[in-house]
DNA sequence: CAAATCTGCAAAAACCTTTTTGCATTTCTC
DNA sequence: GAGAAATGCAAAAAGGTTTTTGCAGATTTG
């Protein structure tokens, strides 16, 4: 298939058709300078008639702003990136900014390649997103000629980052469980080398005090199953609630409880984390879980970027954004 | 934080530092024209020294090719888009092409907005991705000044589309089940208004003939559970295998079988569809499932786009790409 | 009514790169 | 050693837009 590539219309076409000069046509379209009302209307009408659309390349060349930004992600799966992307887009599309998405696949060489390409394209800024908040970027980013913002990843000192408030998320879940009368709550979560896991565990410990018990492992269903088996096979008091570090873990936990012939939430209440809809909503019972509001994280990062590209100053630091508790049926109440 | 925005280096800077004219500098860097070896080396060295990087905007303005493409998606969740995006990127990044990702959220107004922006940015082409192959795009795309390619969506006549070969995927699963000695296979799948569901069902029917039974419903775990309950609560022969239209359905089916105290794969073998890793691998037992090779779909779409932007001709039509069977333990064997 | 102000438009410069053309030198050929 | 060819570089044009400057003619002011 060979598409008909009719040459795109330029300002010159508009000017010629309207019988005015380039500058007048430009002024008319942008409502700048001094243009007679009648003239302006003629130009506007002709512009829409022939489908004129200003060439963003030429514009960017002149203004030294491309009205584009780059987003570098190492997420191959998309579960974190796309919601954030939606937030970024949402905050920027109305300001005429488009987003280059670059998947690095955790390959430093590829990341470097993408970065070079973005800079060559004169992006106005770069947003780095990670799959965990304590991941060092695969590429050197200091001394760039454009502002950098981190989303779902903590940048180095003197940079700006937006991350979910893990402590807040953990408190939401744990306090919800306690408000429902549960007192023997254990916490099954992911690997200890995840900063997010440690922060959530600390928040949980602060609330539950001496009664607290944290089990670090993996972000998998299997680990949730295994940990639950271990917990319920030993002697002594049995927990009446489990706060899980992810919805996948929660799912494994519920599976194990079913095999142990314990009811959820009757015998044990379960709280998840992530609000990964496909899991959370389809688990039986549907999970009560913590939503990290990734879209909002993206939106805030986009807004910060917008301010920076305008030359406004923003205080560096890590901004922690509140989470939201999604009520399912796994905690009862 | 106010970043230090040291002005980006231009070719003029290089030329001045090297003591040559703009044209010579350009020729030296691009290995065009006639340039003395010594001069060229000097220019090259200075260019790397001061970190010169040609301005893609200026380049694009001149060459009338921006070396960018736009990707329009209505997938909010990201499960389909990001793998395809990775494939698209992979086939294009080495040719110096970057990708604008635009999430339309199924909102025609937003889609139109993104489309306008892409055209203004002089993209060399547009890739449309859908969440199902029979989805009409939210925006008018005929008569565009740039080539359009569809990925995981069938475009109208005279366009180019790449989709997974649903019939092939279904055959892979069903024939695998049969090769393991299963003969009473039922098919539980999603809504009948999905073309993909109908194609897979037809392929399944062709193999199983009179013994075939298709249950259309929803792409959910719940539906899988419910359909399984219905099938096994009636009188007559019980199936020894279930071919599921999605991994989520498969999961619901397995759940139901467990409640019926039937073993998987001992009593009933289960095949899924999608190879949605988080589900497929973490189900107990891990699913044998069909992978649609989304990355390859994206890669092929990218390659087609590349050819089109070079002015090569490509025959229109729907290209169906083979699927791959991923062996888990849910079918035994 | 002369001077000052305002109005409407055009010309030209600028953004940064690539490519074509042109002009001196130098090197080769007979 | 004279004409032809090759070499090395610079100047200029082009791509599409925005913005500054300039210049007439119309209108207002004292």
């Amino acid at each position: 298939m060979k598409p008909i590539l009719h040459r795109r219309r330029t300002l010159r076409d508009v000017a010629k058709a309207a019988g005015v000069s380039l500058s007048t046509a430009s002024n008319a379209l942008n409502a700048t300078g001094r243009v007679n009302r009648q003239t302006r209307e003629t130009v506007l009408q002709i512009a829409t008639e022939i489908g004129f659309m200003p060439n963003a390349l030429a514009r960017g060349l002149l203004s030294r702003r491309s009205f584009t930004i780059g987003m570098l992600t190492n997420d191959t799966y998309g579960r974190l990136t796309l919601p954030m992307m939606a937030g970024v887009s949402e905050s920027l599309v109305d300001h005429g900014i488009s987003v280059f998405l670059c998947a690095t696949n955790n390959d430093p060489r590829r990341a470097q390649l993408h970065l070079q390409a973005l800079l060559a394209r004169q992006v106005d800024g770069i947003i780095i997103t990670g799959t965990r908040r304590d991941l060092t970027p695969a590429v050197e980013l200091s001394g760039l000629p454009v502002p950098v913002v981190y989303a779902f990843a903590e940048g180095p000192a003197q940079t700006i980052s937006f991350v979910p408030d893990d402590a807040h998320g953990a408190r939401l879940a744990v306090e919800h469980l306690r408000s429902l009368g549960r007192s023997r709550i254990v916490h099954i979560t992911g690997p200890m080398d995840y900063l997010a896991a440690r922060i959530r565990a600390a928040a949980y410990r602060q609330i539950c005090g001496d009664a607290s018990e944290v089990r670090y492992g993996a972000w998998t269903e299997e680990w949730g199953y295994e940990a639950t088996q271990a917990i319920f096979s030993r002697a002594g008091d049995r927990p009446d609630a489990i706060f899980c570090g992810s919805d996948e873990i929660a799912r494994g936990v519920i599976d194990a409880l079913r095999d142990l012939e314990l009811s959820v939430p009757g015998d044990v209440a379960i709280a998840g984390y992530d609000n990964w809809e496909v899991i959370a909503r389809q688990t039986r019972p549907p999970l009560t879980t913590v939503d990290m509001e990734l879209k909002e994280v993206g939106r805030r990062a986009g807004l910060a970027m917008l301010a920076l590209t305008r030359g406004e100053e923003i205080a560096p630091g890590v901004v922690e954004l509140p989470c939201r508790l999604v009520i399912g049926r796994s905690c009862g109440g």
Side-chain angles (χ1 to χ4, degrees), chain A:
Chain A
M1 186 195 77
K2 176 124 187 178
I4 317 113
L5 298 178
H6 41 73
R7 200 176 62 75
R8 310 200 208 207
R9 303 307 193 156
T10 73
L11 186 59
R12 171 166 282 114
D13 298 327
V14 177
K16 193 178 291 175
V20 296
S21 73
L22 247 62
S23 48
T24 300
S26 173
N27 280 328
L29 288 169
N30 300 314
T32 56
R34 291 188 300 248
V35 179
N36 186 295
R37 221 175 78 96
Q38 178 57 46
T39 312
R40 176 155 41 98
E41 278 168 11
T42 311
V43 171
L44 250 55
Q45 195 198 325
I46 290 183
T48 52
E49 247 170 42
I50 70 173
F52 168 73
M53 196 182 295
N55 184 324
L57 265 42
R59 230 182 206 175
L61 190 54
L62 201 53
S63 67
R64 260 106 150 236
R65 286 195 55 189
S66 65
F67 289 91
T68 61
I69 67 153
M71 195 161 143
L72 238 51
T73 177
N74 59 3
D75 181 10
T76 46
Y77 189 67
R79 146 186 171 213
L80 299 169
T81 296
L82 235 79
M84 281 196 281
M85 174 84 195
V88 170
S89 262
E90 189 180 294
S91 57
L92 297 181
V93 73
D94 289 333
H95 297 88
I97 297 177
S98 300
V99 182
F100 286 112
L101 182 61
C102 304
T104 64
N105 294 330
N106 273 319
D107 173 0
R109 197 191 59 87
R110 189 174 288 262
Q112 186 62 39
L113 223 62
H114 277 301
L115 182 62
Q116 296 293 323
L118 288 176
L119 292 176
R121 293 191 193 289
Q122 314 294 110
V123 292
D124 297 333
I126 293 181
I127 296 182
I128 309 288
T129 75
T131 48
R132 51 189 288 190
R133 62 188 281 179
D134 51 342
L135 196 69
T136 46
V139 66
E140 179 58 37
L141 290 162
S142 58
L144 249 46
V146 294
V148 174
V149 169
Y150 293 80
F152 208 85
E154 288 184 21
Q158 301 305 310
T159 61
I160 301 169
S161 313
F162 293 89
V163 298
D165 186 338
D166 285 300
H168 176 243
R171 281 196 303 269
L172 279 178
V174 176
E175 275 162 5
H176 179 67
L177 290 168
R178 287 168 64 97
S179 77
L180 295 169
R182 311 285 173 156
S183 56
R184 298 184 307 282
I185 308 171
V186 301
H187 181 35
I188 303 177
T189 187
M192 201 183 327
D193 69 318
Y194 272 67
L195 177 56
R198 295 198 301 277
I199 293 177
R200 293 177 202 165
Y204 152 79
R205 274 212 183 87
Q206 197 170 9
I207 297 176
C208 294
D210 289 344
S212 64
E213 173 182 359
V214 177
R215 299 228 167 189
Y216 289 102
W219 300 116
T220 61
E221 235 176 286
E222 203 179 350
W223 163 239
Y225 189 91
E226 187 186 318
T228 306
Q229 291 279 11
I231 289 168
F232 283 86
S233 67
R234 70 183 174 199
D237 265 3
R238 291 182 155 197
D240 57 8
I242 300 180
F243 166 39
C244 303
S246 79
D247 288 345
E248 286 174 84
I249 291 176
R251 189 138 189 170
V253 169
I254 290 179
D255 232 26
L257 292 173
R258 198 193 315 178
D259 286 357
L260 292 164
E261 303 196 335
L262 290 168
S263 81
V264 175
D267 297 318
V268 186
I270 303 296
Y273 210 103
D274 285 351
N275 190 27
W276 194 356
E277 302 223 356
V278 63
I279 306 252
R281 274 224 293 258
Q282 304 217 0
T283 300
R284 292 184 316 143
L287 293 177
T288 289
T289 181
V290 176
D291 190 304
M292 293 187 284
E293 301 277 33
L294 292 176
K295 191 170 171 188
E296 177 66 11
V297 172
R299 210 180 62 83
R300 290 291 300 271
L303 289 177
M305 185 90 267
L306 199 61
L308 288 172
T309 61
R310 288 175 172 161
E312 297 169 21
E313 303 216 0
I314 297 187
V318 177
V319 178
E320 304 196 297
L321 299 173
C323 297
R324 178 171 56 94
L325 190 69
V326 177
I327 305 294
R329 289 203 304 274
S330 64
C331 292

